Amino acid sequence: MTSSDLFPLSAEHEMIRQTARDFAQKEIAPIAAEFDESGEFPSRTVKKMGEMGFMGIEVPEEYGGAGMDTLAYVLALEEICKADAAHGTVMSVNNSLFCYGILKYGTEAHKQKYVRAIASGEEIGAYSLTEPMSGSDAGTMRSRAVRDGDSYILNGRKSWVTSAPVAKYIVLFTMTAPEKKQKGITAFIIDTDKPGFSRGKKEPKLGIRASATSEILFEDYRVPVENRLGEEGEGFKIAMGVLDAGRIGIASQALGIAEAAYEASLSYATDREAFGAKIGEFQGISFKLADMKTRIEAARLLVYNAAMAKERSKSSGERFTLEASIAKLFASETAMFVAHAAVQIHGGMGYSKELPVERYFRDAKITEIYEGTSEIQRLVIARMETGLR
Ligand code: CAA
């Protein structure tokens, strides 16, 4: 049974999925292991993804995007991540954390200048919330922006910024009024070519190694008032609202990794023989496959459901926080479960760099951590259900 039997797609959605699948399998899958090994940023294929319209799938055409819906976005991202999660990380940040945030909270001038550049694939975007001493507790950042005439002067250090080493523009969150804590955070759009901006240490990562991640530093960096996203003090809510969209992207990434690990396992189990039989004939293996398949299909429904909730929010204005957190929590834990079982089914070959299974295992782990750990997703879901703090 294929996934489309469980979730019928429109002709348009089937087409975007097939286009992304063809591109990912032809252009990305063959180079994934090499770039994972070297940790080099795959500029050439990322550029091609931009040309294909994958960097701004939901962005209206007037701002340089493909003008499609959220389901189209997750279907394409799932296919890219099935070939290589690192490429998917760059795509997810550009679409969800950069373009979505500016489309939702930015001015017309912001959309024309910054969204167009990223959605069209000319430049790479990033999103910077985390600091060395502020991760899950996102409201406790130490970096500062102080108003000075028509600009703000920024100082501080941000960490774990996906795509920072290659980004032209960054949506950045920093304190303008520390005494107000979360309500003192403000969002800005940063041009990385301006003086006072520099890149710090690159993160040596377990997985998604071809995506570039580093610290960024601000030393008396001057950002014009017109680059402020929203009003002073609105930054925390903007950060959280944007992460709701980002978490659907990470859930799609997790789904793609899980599918790749499952398909490799299915093929191995129906091919490899031991004790005079295909190993898939043994219950120890076949029950693993059944659990993997079941969790993947459940994750798929949650991811597509979250995508549709986000799509509805464009006209209703309703939040889709709950759907996004549920999808991310379940899909990321599914990716880890499936990748873990995939290594086990492959035995020694699952532990070898000759097959991509060990890469799926390493890549799956990040989906339980970034854009809100599984613990944070449980906290969000529980608070929304109970109404308690
Ligand atoms: N949308 C809009 N508003 C929201 C919101 C959302 N999703 N979530 C919270 N808010 C609002 C609340 O309504 C509240 O508003 P009021 O003050 O008006 O009541 C305000 O924000 C504060 O909310 P909380 O009191 O719930 O805040 P909290 O301090 O308890 O924190 C949290 C909540 C869920 C723990 C949050 O801090 C969180 O999600 N932390 C995880 C951060 C995270 O995901 N970091 C990853 C960074 S990105 C990354 O990984 C790197 C990369 O490059 C990919």
Side-chain angles (χ1 to χ4, degrees):
M1 178 183 278
T2 65
S3 53
S4 27
D5 296 326
L6 290 176
F7 193 92
L9 294 173
S10 69
E12 194 191 18
H13 287 130
E14 197 54 72
M15 189 195 75
I16 177 85
R17 178 159 73 173
Q18 198 56 51
T19 306
R21 180 176 295 171
D22 291 346
F23 174 81
Q25 292 305 321
K26 181 163 167 271
E27 304 275 349
I28 299 177
I31 61 161
E34 177 193 333
F35 281 83
D36 170 65
E37 181 72 24
S38 69
E40 192 189 324
F41 186 77
S43 308
R44 195 185 58 82
T45 34
V46 166
K47 189 91 197 145
K48 277 196 184 171
M49 284 166 66
E51 288 159 12
M52 300 281 294
F54 293 157
M55 293 308 186
I57 292 187
E58 288 179 75
V59 172
E61 289 172 40
E62 59 187 301
Y63 304 123
M68 301 183 89
D69 66 6
T70 314
L71 186 57
Y73 165 54
V74 304
L75 289 166
L77 183 54
E78 182 187 329
E79 291 301 328
I80 299 294
C81 293
K82 211 166 150 181
D84 179 35
H87 280 78
T89 300
V90 184
M91 177 174 163
S92 175
V93 170
N94 272 4
N95 278 273
S96 310
L97 294 188
F98 191 91
C99 293
Y100 173 78
I102 299 181
L103 282 177
K104 182 152 187 207
Y105 302 100
T107 62
E108 182 59 27
H110 290 156
K111 294 174 198 172
Q112 286 296 351
K113 182 168 181 189
Y114 303 109
V115 172
R116 177 172 289 285
I118 305 306
S120 64
E122 280 160 45
E123 306 285 358
I124 306 274
Y127 169 101
S128 173
L129 178 67
T130 304
E131 298 190 357
M133 296 306 290
S134 164
S136 293
D137 190 3
T140 54
M141 55 187 65
R142 295 181 182 179
S143 64
R144 298 279 181 270
V146 178
R147 180 82 185 245
D148 181 40
D150 287 344
S151 50
Y152 291 80
I153 298 176
L154 262 70
N155 280 285
R157 176 189 297 262
K158 310 288 288 184
S159 52
W160 287 104
V161 187
T162 301
S163 294
V166 287
K168 164 75 170 152
Y169 300 119
I170 302 178
V171 170
L172 173 94
F173 301 89
T174 188
M175 277 289 182
T176 45
E179 70 289 354
K180 293 189 188 164
K181 304 200 166 118
Q182 280 171 358
K183 290 187 169 44
I185 294 173
T186 303
F188 295 95
I189 304 167
I190 298 298
D191 183 336
T192 61
D193 287 334
K194 294 277 161 61
F197 175 87
S198 61
R199 295 167 170 96
K201 90 173 158 79
K202 268 183 129 175
E203 303 297 349
K205 305 192 298 282
L206 173 73
I208 55 164
R209 288 174 38 74
S211 71
T213 313
S214 76
E215 290 192 332
I216 55 175
L217 292 95
F218 295 91
E219 281 176 278
D220 293 333
Y221 177 99
R222 202 170 266 278
V223 55
V225 172
E226 71 229 32
N227 279 34
R228 196 180 62 212
L229 194 58
E231 297 300 321
E232 271 192 24
E234 288 182 354
F236 188 78
K237 288 189 186 178
I238 295 177
M240 293 300 119
V242 173
L243 277 173
D244 286 345
R247 288 168 182 168
I248 298 177
I250 303 311
S252 319
Q253 176 178 51
L255 180 60
I257 298 169
E259 282 171 358
Y262 174 70
E263 285 176 17
S265 304
L266 190 60
S267 154
Y268 195 75
T270 50
D271 184 47
R272 169 86 177 182
E273 293 183 2
F275 306 102
K278 306 282 185 199
I279 62 168
E281 291 177 53
F282 299 118
Q283 215 172 66
I285 302 295
S286 65
F287 277 21
K288 273 193 178 56
L289 291 170
D291 288 343
M292 292 155 88
K293 174 70 176 170
T294 304
R295 291 199 196 194
I296 286 172
E297 293 309 327
R300 180 190 315 289
L301 296 179
L302 290 174
V303 173
Y304 296 177
N305 179 59
M308 291 187 292
K310 181 176 169 223
E311 190 59 32
R312 285 194 301 276
S313 85
K314 289 175 187 168
S315 47
S316 71
E318 300 260 320
R319 275 170 57 176
F320 49 90
T321 308
L322 184 64
E323 291 88 344
S325 281
I326 290 175
K328 181 180 186 281
L329 174 63
F330 192 81
S332 59
E333 294 194 345
T334 294
M336 207 56 221
F337 173 86
V338 171
H340 181 266
V343 171
Q344 195 66 19
I345 289 171
H346 283 78
M349 287 313 292
Y351 203 67
S352 165
K353 284 192 181 289
E354 285 177 25
L355 290 184
V357 180
E358 63 83 35
R359 172 163 57 85
Y360 304 146
F361 181 70
R362 287 184 287 106
D363 287 349
K365 186 61 206 169
I366 191 60
T367 66
E368 292 184 321
I369 297 174
Y370 65 3
E371 300 198 28
T373 60
S374 293
E375 291 74 12
I376 289 295
Q377 305 314 324
R378 287 190 165 86
L379 181 145
V380 169
I381 296 163
R383 279 183 179 179
M384 294 201 75
E385 282 299 283
T386 62
L388 302 172
R389 300 290 325 269

